[in-house]
Amino acid sequence: MTVDRLFAARLQAAWHTGMGWAKRAVSGSNSLGLVVLYFLAAYLYTQTAESLAPRLWTQLAAALLTAAVVAPAAVRTFLRNADLALLAPSPYPMAAYLRTAFFYSLLVQAAGMLLLAVIVRPVYEATAKAPGSWLVLAACLIFLKAWSLDLHWRHLRLHRGSLMPLLIRWAVISLFLFGFWTGSLISLGSALLAMAILTGEAAVHAARYHLPWPVLMEKENKRIDLYYSILNMFIDVPHKRKKIRGRSWAVRLFDKLTGAKQNAYLFLLVRHVLRTGETFSIYLRLSAVTWVILAWAQSHLLLYTLCLASLAAAGKQVTQHMRTIVHPPAIRLLPISPGQRQKAARRLCLSLLWLLTAGIAAILFSKTAPLPDKLALTAICLIWSVLLTHFYLRGKPALSTNRIPLKR
């Protein structure tokens, strides 16, 4: 297959930009704690998969959940708004370009199916009636993804909505995977027949229509915006507009925990940190992951490691963002000393960690373990929170004091 030069140039530029942002996200977010938690989640997932039995409902659930990942499809075109005026609506100048875009998307999503096969393999081996090799599972997933992508590409010409074709693909793929899991030739044959009928019907009708260029460009712009939104969860993307969220429940809670109403600087700091940027969102996601894994964990060593690692990760994330985000003039220009700023930031950080510890303690006390052990671990978490807060904020500016440059 001949690779279109224009598509290759745009692909190279997109990868170069994406890798640059990815490096900034990894180095700027200090996400080591999140990586540890994800590895713990993978361990617990493996343990849960091994406890499953090859029953009908587990096979059906596995097929439906796997199909929910395989059925969605998208073609990355890298189209730009100028292409609509220069090259559209006729598809012939960009026939090789679109062909390259389709095969590139197929290659990337096939690689994703290899990763999905690795993830699904423990469940497949535990619940399938006669589990085969990993290569067979991977080949089936790649075949289903290729069919889903091809049908999606044809349906784009028919100007059909995205929801109903997606539900149809999900139902057919679920039927195929259920037959694959249970060894039912009837389900496999029915799914293959439905796939052939849907592909033939779409091929016959789609040949009479051109691709909807405005729809493709709109999808491309939304995809780029989604990428920057995901990056904005880890670092502050300059050209991504920051959302202001009310979060009145969080403000009222931390007003009581920190005593912010008696301190003007802390009063403004609490509202800015909780309502703007991604500081509080990252804290909430990290807390949720910690509590879920902690509820599943049984090993004492895993409990201690998870508690200490999650508090360290949360403290690092919160202090990192509190030091680097640009605060409004109402906060930066208050006539108070750096020591008072640092004390207020320390109080807010400590309140966040103690709230996380309260959730950890509630889960610990729901487990069947000796009461002295639960009290000891809770006390260790409280002391660890104090040490982390003083360590992360010691000798460092608690807040960004950079002034906004005047325009000349």
Side-chain angles (χ1 to χ4, degrees):
M1 186 192 73
T2 304
V3 178
D4 185 81
R5 292 184 179 181
L6 177 60
F7 182 86
R10 291 182 177 180
L11 174 62
Q12 184 178 6
W15 272 94
H16 179 74
T17 304
M19 291 302 297
W21 281 108
K23 290 178 181 178
R24 290 182 59 184
V26 171
S27 61
S29 64
N30 297 293
S31 54
L32 180 60
L34 288 175
V35 173
V36 173
L37 290 178
Y38 288 141
F39 275 109
L40 291 175
Y43 169 76
L44 293 175
Y45 167 75
T46 305
Q47 296 296 111
T48 305
E50 293 176 355
S51 65
L52 297 176
R55 298 189 180 93
L56 182 63
W57 70 269
T58 56
Q59 295 166 345
L60 179 60
L64 292 174
L65 292 176
T66 306
V69 182
V70 180
V75 177
R76 186 73 197 272
T77 59
F78 297 105
L79 289 175
R80 299 176 181 175
N81 294 332
D83 297 336
L84 183 62
L86 298 176
L87 301 173
S90 174
Y92 301 109
M94 298 190 74
Y97 181 97
L98 295 174
R99 192 182 307 113
T100 305
F102 176 82
F103 282 106
Y104 164 76
S105 301
L106 178 60
L107 180 62
V108 171
Q109 294 178 47
M113 291 301 100
L114 293 176
L115 178 60
L116 179 62
V118 174
I119 297 173
V120 173
R121 181 181 178 181
V123 176
Y124 171 65
E125 293 179 346
T127 60
K129 183 178 180 181
S133 67
W134 174 81
L135 293 176
V136 177
L137 175 62
C140 287
L141 294 179
I142 292 174
F143 166 72
L144 293 173
K145 174 59 77 172
W147 171 78
S148 179
L149 185 65
D150 177 74
L151 191 63
H152 164 74
W153 190 240
R154 296 180 189 277
H155 280 167
L156 280 177
R157 295 176 180 268
L158 301 177
H159 301 271
R160 293 178 178 174
S162 58
L163 180 59
M164 186 54 65
L166 175 60
L167 293 176
I168 293 174
R169 296 197 305 269
W170 174 70
V172 173
I173 293 174
S174 298
L175 181 62
F176 183 96
L177 290 176
F178 180 73
F180 180 72
W181 243 263
T182 59
S184 173
L185 296 179
I186 297 178
S187 298
L188 287 172
S190 302
L192 290 173
L193 179 61
M195 292 167 67
I197 293 175
L198 289 171
T199 303
E201 185 267 341
V204 171
H205 291 87
R208 294 176 291 179
Y209 298 94
H210 294 316
L211 283 170
W213 295 91
V215 174
L216 292 178
M217 292 178 185
E218 181 183 2
K219 288 181 178 292
E220 182 66 21
N221 292 333
K222 288 183 178 180
R223 188 175 294 112
I224 294 174
D225 186 68
L226 175 62
Y227 290 162
Y228 283 124
S229 298
I230 295 174
L231 283 171
N232 199 46
M233 296 179 182
F234 300 93
I235 57 175
D236 288 328
V237 180
H239 54 277
K240 185 68 178 177
R241 181 178 296 177
K242 304 296 184 298
K243 294 182 179 179
I244 307 297
R245 300 174 175 85
R247 290 174 178 159
S248 57
W249 62 271
V251 171
R252 288 195 298 269
L253 175 62
F254 283 93
D255 277 347
K256 295 179 180 179
L257 291 176
T258 61
K261 292 186 177 180
Q262 285 75 38
N263 186 318
Y265 178 77
L266 184 57
F267 181 86
L268 295 174
L269 179 63
V270 166
R271 280 148 181 78
H272 183 64
V273 171
L274 298 185
R275 289 175 172 174
T276 61
E278 289 296 325
T279 305
F280 193 61
S281 298
I282 293 175
Y283 167 80
L284 290 178
R285 288 191 291 268
L286 184 60
S287 300
V289 172
T290 300
W291 292 334
V292 170
I293 300 177
L294 194 63
W296 289 349
Q298 300 297 331
S299 170
H300 292 285
L301 179 60
L302 182 59
L303 287 174
Y304 276 84
T305 303
L306 178 61
C307 292
L308 298 180
S310 61
L311 287 170
K316 184 63 175 176
Q317 293 283 354
V318 170
T319 54
Q320 170 78 14
H321 282 258
M322 287 174 64
R323 288 196 303 268
T324 57
I325 58 178
V326 178
H327 295 272
I331 293 179
R332 291 186 285 115
L333 301 181
L334 277 176
I336 58 175
S337 65
Q340 292 174 307
R341 295 173 182 270
Q342 196 171 63
K343 183 178 179 181
R346 194 177 287 127
R347 188 184 300 179
L348 176 57
C349 180
L350 186 59
S351 299
L352 289 166
L353 296 185
W354 276 359
L355 184 62
L356 176 58
T357 302
I360 291 174
I363 296 174
L364 290 176
F365 278 90
S366 66
K367 292 181 174 293
T368 56
L371 181 60
D373 293 347
K374 300 176 183 178
L375 294 175
L377 184 53
T378 303
I380 290 173
C381 290
L382 291 173
I383 298 172
W384 181 241
S385 300
V386 176
L387 295 176
L388 287 172
T389 302
H390 284 274
F391 174 77
Y392 285 137
L393 294 176
R394 181 188 58 187
K396 299 176 182 179
L399 301 171
S400 175
T401 57
N402 298 328
R403 294 181 180 272
I404 301 175
L406 297 176
K407 296 182 179 179
R408 296 184 181 275

